[in-house]
Amino acid sequence: MDVEQLRVTVYRIFAGTGRAPSAEDLMRELDAPRSQVDEGLRALAAARHLALDARGSITMAHPFSAVPLGFSVMGATTLWWGGCAWDSFALPHLLDDADPALVATRCPACDTPHVWDVTRQTPPPGDQVAHFLVPAAHMWDDVVHTCGHQRIFCSQPCVDAWLKRTGNAPGYVLDLPTLWRLASRWYEGRLDHGYIRREPAAAADYLRSVGLTGPFWGT
């Protein structure tokens, strides 16, 4: 099986339907046996193109998520789970159907609802802040945990209250314009054939270009 064709098929089904394709979906789309589909998915997971659960089903194919992690993203015709703040703000930049997108969440500290119209043109207005708990070097240690802890809060006091309640150490706080810049070009080309994930040096260059530096980011 052509693993690159499998990757593109996974992403395009996720983009078009808002849900992760099952092994049966992929077998039908690619006219391939289950053994080849499963082997291809494991290869893509090893290369960090997607994350699988214990049964081998697709959990995440960034910026798409098969499970709710605190965000919903509504486009013109499709509704997606937003895997995290980063991925939710990235979808409008990746998908024509999601420009603009209505991104919704609740503050993890006080449960206040928040919603933004996110577009490719300018960051959405708002004084809210995003808090990323897991440093960049360890984001793939448990990527679902990582994404579940990239959340948007009402303000720094809400971040502080949540950290105190949960016993977590402080991570990194971003304002909405910085979050929007981070998300804007991170996934460029991911739906196309020949996409290559950024190597560490290129990733560090990108992070610096959007204003993210220091030990948390490895830059």
Side-chain angles (χ1 to χ4, degrees):
M1 171 185 285
D2 183 341
V3 175
E4 174 64 1
Q5 182 59 49
L6 174 62
R7 185 194 68 79
V8 171
T9 301
V10 168
Y11 274 88
R12 291 185 176 175
I13 290 175
F14 238 140
T17 68
R19 64 175 183 85
S22 66
E24 290 74 21
D25 293 330
L26 296 169
M27 290 164 61
R28 184 170 55 254
E29 287 288 328
L30 298 170
D31 191 23
R34 177 67 180 259
S35 60
Q36 290 186 9
V37 168
D38 288 345
E39 181 181 357
L41 291 176
R42 288 193 295 269
L44 291 172
R48 297 184 174 179
H49 287 293
L50 47 82
L52 305 177
D53 65 17
R55 299 172 300 170
S57 299
I58 299 167
T59 302
M60 304 191 79
H62 297 286
F64 304 108
S65 176
V67 294
L69 293 171
F71 292 86
S72 62
V73 182
M74 183 181 292
T77 61
T78 308
L79 178 67
W80 300 270
W81 292 124
C84 57
W86 187 343
D87 288 350
S88 297
F89 272 48
L91 283 169
H93 298 278
L94 185 66
L95 305 173
D96 290 339
D97 183 56
D99 180 29
L102 196 68
V103 176
T105 191
R106 287 183 180 274
C107 174
C110 68
D111 213 34
T112 297
H114 297 287
V115 63
W116 305 269
D117 246 346
V118 182
T119 73
R120 297 174 184 173
Q121 285 69 47
T122 57
D127 296 327
Q128 300 91 345
V129 297
H131 177 263
F132 286 19
L133 183 66
V134 180
H138 297 287
M139 286 180 178
W140 273 91
D141 293 355
D142 181 343
V143 72
V144 176
H145 170 81
T146 295
C147 290
H149 290 84
Q150 293 181 353
R151 300 293 302 275
I152 298 180
F153 294 75
C154 300
S155 61
Q156 182 67 55
C158 273
V159 174
D160 295 339
W162 180 82
L163 291 171
K164 182 177 181 180
R165 187 178 76 231
T166 60
N168 285 303
Y172 194 96
V173 174
L174 305 76
D175 60 18
L176 293 186
T178 303
L179 175 65
W180 183 88
R181 290 195 303 273
L182 170 63
S184 63
R185 294 183 293 110
W186 183 254
Y187 294 115
E188 278 182 337
R190 183 152 284 197
L191 298 182
D192 302 326
H193 287 275
Y195 171 81
I196 298 174
R197 295 183 73 252
R198 288 182 178 85
E199 294 300 322
D205 287 343
Y206 178 87
L207 294 170
R208 282 191 291 266
S209 77
V210 299
L212 296 173
T213 59
F216 185 92
W217 298 101
T219 57

